Amino acid sequence: MVLSAVTGVSSPVTVENIPKVESSVTESTVVKQPTRKDIENMMSTEQYVRQYFKDIPIMIQVAKCESRFRQLDPDGEILRGVVNKKDVGVMQINEHYHLDQSLQKNYDIYTIQGNTAYARELYEKQGTQPWNYSKACWGKYLPKDSQIALNTK
């Protein structure tokens, strides 16, 4: 193969050995697969939560209080509760009470998508009751008529 018009070279350059691409090389072996941390960083957890719960503002405050908008810990592992290690992710869904049910409904509470989707379903059925432990933090953001949010009808 002869290369010409290379910047700084006035005469053509001949390349003797052209590397061959192995036929066994596929896109999946060449492209780096993103880690869970990479995916989370594409959109910050806080941005994701604020967008996902824009129609339920109290759930944004719940996420802020429960996890400070974190789905993963600094090592890229699922964030676990300080008081209860079975609380996981941005919405601190408790594995003991909710893991089996979340799996039956095809929610992966270890992903931000599954964690927030399952939290939405919990909210729709029970209001903010599952997060009452942190109510001292988020309770001041409840609307004046908080019957729906508290599920105290």
Side-chain angles (χ1 to χ4, degrees), residues 17-137:
N17 296 323
I18 300 172
K20 293 183 180 177
V21 176
E22 296 285 328
S23 60
S24 64
V25 174
T26 64
E27 184 178 327
S28 64
T29 59
V30 175
V31 177
K32 177 186 173 234
Q33 297 298 316
T35 65
R36 290 170 61 182
K37 187 75 172 174
D38 293 336
I39 292 168
E40 182 178 355
N41 287 334
M42 289 177 193
M43 174 186 267
S44 80
T45 303
E46 181 175 355
Q47 289 171 318
Y48 184 89
V49 168
R50 286 185 184 281
Q51 178 65 32
Y52 186 79
F53 287 117
K54 67 183 175 190
D55 59 327
I56 313 172
I58 192 62
M59 292 301 283
I60 297 168
Q61 297 305 320
V62 168
K64 181 179 180 181
C65 293
E66 288 284 343
S67 67
R68 295 188 304 273
F69 296 116
R70 294 173 299 149
Q71 175 71 14
L72 304 176
D73 68 16
D75 295 325
E77 299 298 321
I78 190 74
L79 179 73
R80 293 197 170 268
V82 174
V83 174
N84 186 338
K85 297 293 183 197
K86 290 192 177 277
D87 292 340
V88 297
V90 68
M91 300 307 297
Q92 292 290 274
I93 304 295
N94 188 281
E95 294 168 314
H96 177 77
Y97 296 107
H98 300 288
L99 182 59
D100 290 341
Q101 187 175 8
S102 68
L103 291 173
Q104 287 173 3
K105 296 179 179 205
N106 292 319
Y107 293 121
D108 181 355
I109 62 172
Y110 303 107
T111 67
I112 191 167
Q113 296 86 356
N115 196 275
T116 52
Y118 188 75
R120 178 179 287 272
E121 184 167 309
L122 277 177
Y123 176 82
E124 288 170 356
K125 291 181 179 177
Q126 301 176 40
T128 56
Q129 185 278 327
W131 298 277
N132 273 349
Y133 189 80
S134 63
K135 185 178 177 186
C137 177

